[in-house]
Amino acid sequence: MEIIVTGAAGFVGQALAAALLSDPQVSSLTLTDVVEPSLPRQHEASSVATRCIKADLTSKETCQSLFTPSLGAVYLLHGLMSGASEANLDLGLKVNIDSMRLVLDVLRSVNPGVKVVFPSSCAVFGPSDGVVTETTMPLPGSSYGAQKHITEVLLNDYSRKGLLDGRILRLPTIIVRPGTPTGAASSFCSGIIREPLKGERSVLPVAPDFEIWVCSTRTLIKNLIHAREIDAEKFPSNSRIVNLPGMTVTSGQMLEALKDVAGEETVRLVEERRDPVIEKLVYSWPARFDTSLAERLGFSPDGTLKQTLDEYIEDYGDGSKLQRD
């Protein structure tokens, strides 16, 4: 199977690419982004034909050259993140909507029915006091959430018509991301763990009792791969949208997990300094999700916070050996 991953220079794209390189179903892998993606080190032991391409997916000509009839699956990971989308509306519209529609329209023209895995976000919802299901009405409290929701609706409709075979995954916030802070409003969820583990100071911009829906990197990658393997008939007849498994935690609980793993001195490197701009965005996201559909479809549940931190240290080091992002 030939697969293309967009947004492949980022952390999730690199982690997914590394896993796909050991997938026996994959024969060819194309990694593309606005900068040329790196080849994961796993390529040295892989027989998968791999190429890395710098590409502008707002260009129709570029999309027509990349998205070909031979592709068996597409992972659409490119996008402008939450904080950056809020700060620059026009760029968010261009990347998160216009580019996505362009890619989908090229695909439905040259490769009708191809599998398209689209990672969406819990940011498509507004604040909720209850448990969110796939049928809860989206009411985004951010431009990023609105832009993700628009692409959800479009891909779901193309799937309903049989033009594409979409798999729309509403992702929790992923922790712990290696490297440097991103443009995501939730970037601090990784920063309050990653930086202290390196012996560096970090800022908690929300209250310790702030709740958020999170997921570990290993669980996310496992579920991204599983999404491609699900038979189309197993999805509900009117929807390809799935709330992915995760866990509801507070920022204080994340710091407790850090303490368990690295000690009290490490936690003292985190300073609570409230940021109303970040709070306005992240407090608009729900923190509790019904994942019964995901369970029926065979997606993997997440583990504990301590397990997540242990996996991060094992995979990326405790600060001295962090992966390039």
Side-chain angles (χ1 to χ4, degrees), residues 15-273:
L16 175 60
L20 291 172
L21 286 170
S22 60
D23 187 332
Q25 297 184 49
V26 180
S27 59
S28 173
L29 180 63
T30 297
L31 307 177
T32 183
D33 211 323
V34 290
V35 296
E36 183 175 318
S38 300
L39 270 176
R41 64 179 182 276
Q42 288 82 356
H43 85 279
E44 298 173 359
S46 174
S47 61
V48 177
T50 309
R51 57 178 184 156
C52 299
I53 301 174
K54 177 182 177 180
D56 175 10
L57 298 184
T58 65
S59 161
K60 184 175 182 179
E61 292 73 20
T62 298
C63 290
Q64 289 173 327
S65 69
L66 285 174
F67 298 99
T68 62
S70 61
L71 288 170
V74 177
Y75 284 91
L76 295 182
L77 270 58
H78 70 283
L80 194 67
M81 302 188 84
S82 52
S85 297
E86 192 70 16
N88 191 333
L89 176 63
D90 289 334
L91 184 59
L93 293 171
K94 182 178 182 180
V95 175
N96 294 342
I97 298 178
D98 298 342
S99 170
M100 287 294 179
R101 182 184 173 187
L102 179 57
V103 170
L104 295 179
D105 284 346
V106 169
L107 283 170
R108 70 184 175 96
S109 174
V110 304
N111 196 343
V114 68
K115 293 179 180 177
V116 178
V117 181
F118 172 63
S120 187
S121 168
C122 61
V124 301
F125 299 104
S128 173
D129 295 330
V131 177
V132 171
T133 73
E134 283 81 4
T135 59
T136 300
M137 185 178 74
L139 192 62
S142 66
S143 296
Y144 175 75
Q147 292 155 11
K148 282 288 190 181
H149 180 49
I150 289 169
T151 302
E152 281 187 356
V153 173
L154 185 62
L155 180 53
N156 196 66
D157 190 50
Y158 283 9
S159 300
R160 179 185 64 84
K161 287 177 169 290
L163 302 174
L164 296 172
D165 184 359
R167 288 100 201 283
I168 302 163
L169 312 177
R170 287 174 174 159
L171 271 55
T173 291
I174 308 306
I175 59 171
V176 177
R177 291 174 176 264
T180 56
T182 68
S186 60
S187 180
F188 70 88
C189 294
S190 289
I192 61 173
I193 296 169
R194 180 186 59 234
E195 270 64 76
L197 284 174
K198 293 188 289 184
E200 299 174 3
R201 294 191 175 279
S202 183
V203 172
L204 175 65
V206 297
D209 62 356
F210 165 70
E211 291 186 329
I212 191 167
W213 184 245
V214 301
C215 177
S216 71
T217 303
R218 288 189 190 178
T219 299
L220 169 66
I221 299 304
K222 189 184 302 182
N223 284 334
L224 285 174
I225 291 174
H226 178 68
R228 188 191 82 230
E229 300 170 343
I230 302 171
D231 291 336
E233 312 81 59
K234 292 186 177 180
F235 287 92
S237 59
N238 63 342
S239 177
R240 294 302 184 87
I241 298 171
V242 183
N243 294 333
L244 282 195
M247 52 184 160
T248 302
V249 301
T250 67
S251 47
Q253 287 171 332
M254 286 190 271
L255 294 179
E256 282 297 318
L258 177 62
K259 178 181 175 182
D260 291 342
V261 169
E264 181 67 38
E265 289 298 317
T266 303
V267 176
R268 289 193 185 121
L269 292 170
V270 180
E271 173 192 356
E272 183 182 342
R273 191 193 313 152

Side-chain angles (χ1 to χ4, degrees), residues 83 86 141-142 185-186 188 203-207 210 272-285:
E86 192 70 16
S142 66
S186 60
F188 70 88
V203 172
L204 175 65
V206 297
F210 165 70
E272 183 182 342
R273 191 193 313 152
R274 307 282 285 274
D275 184 328
V277 175
I278 291 177
E279 285 187 322
K280 181 180 179 181
L281 289 176
V282 300
Y283 276 86
S284 73
W285 303 341

